[in-house]
Amino acid sequence: MSTNGKPVIDLNNKDEQTSSKIDLIKNIIFGDNIQAYDSEFESLKKDILEKKRVLEELVEEVRTEINSALDSVATDVNIRVTELEEKLEDKIETLDAEKLDKKTLGNILIELGEKVSKK
């Protein structure tokens, strides 16, 4: 109550809007510091949003680099697999050729043996 008998703040006045009552309560609790708090919170909000944006850019950059590295590894693996397949095919052909040469050599030796035994 003030000195003239009226309440300092009439919270029961139905003509005031709820937001103005909240503003009055904030003003009573925080006083003049509320604007400083609001300014500080707004500054923090802007800082957080800026850092979020920077972080999202970094995440996208890392994602691009990882995809590029994966593509490079996949290409390298494909090249190596192809090289190994070619080497394996070459070895198989070499083995087939050696086997064929042994068979031919065996036949020649048999024929030579038969010729020697006939004489």
Side-chain angles (χ1 to χ4, degrees):
M1 288 277 204
S2 69
T3 55
N4 62 5
K6 289 184 176 181
V8 176
I9 299 173
D10 185 12
L11 296 177
N12 295 323
N13 186 353
K14 306 232 189 252
D15 294 332
E16 291 182 10
Q17 296 181 0
T18 306
S19 65
S20 65
K21 289 181 184 179
I22 292 172
D23 289 339
L24 285 173
I25 293 170
K26 283 199 265 184
N27 196 18
I28 290 170
I29 295 172
F30 298 108
D32 294 334
N33 293 335
I34 191 70
Q35 289 180 350
Y37 292 140
D38 284 342
S39 173
E40 186 67 25
F41 285 133
E42 191 62 33
S43 173
L44 287 172
K45 182 179 175 183
K46 286 179 183 178
D47 189 42
I48 288 170
L49 290 174
E50 176 62 21
K51 288 181 178 176
K52 179 184 174 192
R53 184 190 63 75
V54 169
L55 185 59
E56 286 172 345
E57 288 176 0
L58 288 173
V59 166
E60 187 59 35
E61 184 178 319
V62 168
R63 180 178 288 124
T64 302
E65 288 177 11
I66 287 174
N67 286 336
S68 175
L70 284 174
D71 289 343
S72 176
V73 167
T75 301
D76 188 43
V77 167
N78 285 337
I79 289 170
R80 290 179 186 219
V81 166
T82 302
E83 288 174 354
L84 287 173
E85 287 174 344
E86 289 172 356
K87 286 180 181 179
L88 184 60
E89 287 174 4
D90 288 345
K91 291 290 184 184
I92 290 172
E93 287 176 12
T94 302
L95 288 175
D96 285 343
E98 287 177 5
K99 196 186 271 187
L100 179 62
D101 289 339
K102 288 179 184 178
K103 188 175 184 180
T104 306
L105 180 60
N107 288 336
I108 292 172
L109 288 175
I110 290 172
E111 288 176 15
L112 183 60
E114 289 175 355
K115 287 181 183 178
V116 169
S117 67
K118 289 182 185 177
K119 291 187 179 182

